[in-house]
Amino acid sequence: MAPLKRILLVEDNERDLELTMAALDEHHLVNEVVVARDGAEALDYLYNRGKFAGHANGFPVVVMLDLKMPKVDGLEVLRVMRSDPYFKHIPVVMITSSREEQDLVRSYELGVNAYVVKPVDFTKFVESVKQVGFFWAIVNEPPPGAMKRGG
């Protein structure tokens, strides 16, 4: 049996984190969701260091990444991921409240796979997250070996 595909959720806003987790749960996704509270923690998870040192969880099937965060912002996490051969093929979905054109353009220049603006309406927010989670964690097929370092 294939291992469950893991989702890395990078979100610093507690309310948005709770809403995102509820939306994924509502869709009955059984995938493990690893939460990083900022970009530095996201990089720690990917590089197996800090509080994530020694985890044997492999790579996430998708990174759901907030844009505006303390320490290391989403654009920097995306830049690092796309410059590293181990991470460049992991899908990254920017989930942000930013409607600024420069954020959208820069995200795509750096190689984001999708850019989703967080709707203000709760029902629309939940539906957006459910669709993103379902597509990337269930429907999408990652390249062979993409779930393991060096694979």
Side-chain angles (χ1 to χ4, degrees), residues 5-39:
K5 298 174 181 176
R6 187 164 292 98
I7 296 170
L8 176 58
L9 173 59
V10 189
E11 176 61 68
D12 66 313
N13 181 293
E14 190 63 37
R15 181 175 181 275
D16 287 349
L17 176 61
E18 288 174 11
L19 291 175
T20 303
M21 295 297 286
L24 293 172
D25 187 52
E26 188 175 306
H27 209 305
H28 305 294
L29 291 176
V30 294
N31 304 68
E32 178 186 354
V33 178
V34 175
V35 175
R37 301 291 182 149
D38 57 49

Side-chain angles (χ1 to χ4, degrees), residues 19 28 36 44 50 105 138:
L19 291 175
H28 305 294
D44 283 351
V105 169
I138 304 297

Side-chain angles (χ1 to χ4, degrees), residues 26-101:
E26 188 175 306
H27 209 305
H28 305 294
L29 291 176
V30 294
N31 304 68
E32 178 186 354
V33 178
V34 175
V35 175
R37 301 291 182 149
D38 57 49
E41 279 191 13
L43 293 173
D44 283 351
Y45 178 82
L46 292 170
Y47 284 102
N48 208 359
R49 63 187 186 208
K51 77 177 196 176
F52 296 107
H55 77 78
N57 293 337
F59 292 155
V61 68
V62 64
V63 176
M64 298 171 75
L65 182 63
D66 189 15
L67 182 64
K68 310 278 187 192
M69 294 182 293
K71 296 184 184 176
V72 178
D73 70 14
L75 290 174
E76 180 60 15
V77 172
L78 181 60
R79 187 196 63 73
V80 169
M81 288 182 69
R82 293 304 183 241
S83 67
D84 189 314
Y86 287 120
F87 307 128
K88 70 180 182 179
H89 295 295
I90 296 174
V92 177
V93 178
M94 200 67 77
I95 300 182
T96 179
S97 55
S98 176
R99 294 182 180 276
E100 294 179 33
E101 186 176 331

Side-chain angles (χ1 to χ4, degrees), residues 89-91 140-148 151:
H89 295 295
I90 296 174
N140 186 58
E141 284 292 327
M147 300 293 287
K148 301 180 279 195

